[in-house]
Amino acid sequence: MSARIGTDLRSAADLLRKGEVVAIPTETVYGLAANAFDSAAVLKVFTAKARPSFDPLIVHIGRPEQLDHVVKELPEGAERLMKTFWPGPLTLVLPKRPEIPDIVTSGLDTVGVRMPAHPLALELLSQLDFPLAAPSANPFGYVSPTNAQHVADQLGEAIPYILDGGPCMVGVESTIIGWEGDGWKLHRPGGVPVEELEAVIGAVAVAQPRILPVAPGQLESHYAPRIPVLLGDVEQLLAEHAKERVAVISFRQDYDAWRTAVLSPSGDLAEAARNFFGALRALEASGASVILAERLPEEGLGRAINDRLRRAAAKR
Ligand code: AMP
Ligand code: MG
């Protein structure tokens, strides 16, 4: 099989109705989608990605009414969050309805759900009478895809169709928060800055890691290119690795290295997020033997980027 890349919504919808998987654009990263009500279709997502069954998928809806078949109840603040941030990069973890099969949620009694803000994804969802379960469209543990070619490079042989919606406008995955009885807890920093959430629902604590990992946040190595990533003081790391072909990923500053990817010369965190995963891929492909990286400011989208950098640099 070799994936076709195109903008044909009808082909994408037909394949999904037949229980196939299709890569779809969202504003965060590209997703690998299947009918969320069809266990056999969802299993193909796990197989194509070599994703472990303990890592649950996010369910994508295209209209608010679809929530009735996904979640059992809306806790305090949920409606305000949806009104403020949907469509957009915010996933809510809520009590699930029985229609959502166990394979989607890894057997949890909660489900992650969001409405994506990409026009093509919304148009596709409007043509379907089921929501789409979709994780990022990359092999498990590897760098997330932010354009259609990234998906083709990694999963092209494993899936039939890639719906091309251009480069992703946010560039990092959704923020995930879950209701835990006494308040909202952060499972993963992402495209909606925590500061913006807190302006709507008050303080958001960080969720306790579970024994079984339920979020990439709890799997240490993730978002990882195939060459080592070292996170720290770049000048010092450059001195230590002077004899190697070194690539640097930096926020605004240029460094004297074999290759440097500057994420945003003007210091704009949203631009940095948009460029981040593509930069990791380009540096990996550059022939460098190691990638050195510096932390970004721990605020706004910087928090999401730092989270990805930390995991890309984690021991494998
Ligand atoms: P991905 O789309 O590849 O970033 O993966 C989806 C992520 O959503 C999972 O790794 C989990 O972190 C999160 N998620 C989905 N459903 C749940 C849930 N019921 N409880 C906690 N986290 C969830
Ligand atoms: Mg992922």
Side-chain angles (χ1 to χ4, degrees), residues 23-31 116 118-122 124 162-166 168:
I24 61 164
T26 80
E27 80 282 29
T28 59
V29 304
Y30 274 68
H118 194 290
L120 220 50
L122 287 174
L124 176 65
I162 301 168
L163 187 62
D164 188 352
C168 299

Side-chain angles (χ1 to χ4, degrees), residues 29 49 51 55 135-138 141-142 144 173 188 216 222-223:
V29 304
K49 280 184 57 101
R51 183 180 178 103
D55 196 4
S136 53
N138 53 278
Y142 185 69
S144 302
E173 292 83 352
R188 172 175 78 185
H222 213 81
Y223 315 111

Side-chain angles (χ1 to χ4, degrees), residues 51 55-58 93 108 110-112 134-136 176 188 214-216:
R51 183 180 178 103
D55 196 4
L57 309 186
I58 292 170
V93 173
L108 297 169
T110 53
V111 59
S136 53
I176 303 177
R188 172 175 78 185
V214 293

Side-chain angles (χ1 to χ4, degrees), residues 1-167:
M1 181 165 21
S2 198
R4 285 183 300 129
I5 303 183
T7 55
D8 180 6
L9 278 168
R10 176 111 65 99
S11 295
D14 283 344
L15 284 163
L16 289 164
R17 283 190 206 101
K18 277 192 265 178
E20 289 302 327
V21 298
V22 171
I24 61 164
T26 80
E27 80 282 29
T28 59
V29 304
Y30 274 68
L32 186 60
N35 178 350
F37 295 141
D38 178 348
S39 311
V42 173
L43 179 59
K44 293 180 186 171
V45 172
F46 282 89
T47 306
K49 280 184 57 101
R51 183 180 178 103
S53 60
F54 60 69
D55 196 4
L57 309 186
I58 292 170
V59 172
H60 295 72
I61 60 168
R63 42 195 182 275
E65 313 84 81
Q66 282 182 309
L67 261 190
D68 301 346
H69 302 283
V70 178
V71 308
K72 217 160 54 183
E73 65 207 27
L74 294 182
E76 191 184 306
E79 278 186 74
R80 232 172 329 134
L81 286 165
M82 294 184 301
K83 267 213 187 82
T84 313
F85 297 106
W86 283 6
L90 177 66
T91 296
L92 302 180
V93 173
L94 299 170
K96 85 171 191 75
R97 296 263 312 182
E99 291 97 309
I100 297 293
D102 281 342
I103 186 172
V104 172
T105 62
S106 305
L108 297 169
D109 52 12
T110 53
V111 59
V113 60
R114 80 178 190 102
M115 190 186 296
H118 194 290
L120 220 50
L122 287 174
E123 182 61 35
L124 176 65
L125 283 161
S126 79
Q127 295 185 15
L128 299 171
D129 57 8
F130 47 82
L132 293 172
S136 53
N138 53 278
F140 182 71
Y142 185 69
V143 182
S144 302
T146 51
N147 65 39
Q149 190 58 48
H150 292 164
V151 182
D153 291 345
Q154 248 73 44
L155 295 182
E157 297 307 311
I159 64 177
Y161 196 69
I162 301 168
L163 187 62
D164 188 352

Side-chain angles (χ1 to χ4, degrees), residues 255-277:
Y255 286 94
D256 186 15
W258 156 262
R259 290 283 191 284
T260 304
V262 180
L263 294 176
S264 173
S266 69
D268 173 358
L269 288 167
E271 181 182 38
R274 230 168 10 248
N275 290 331
F276 175 66
F277 283 127

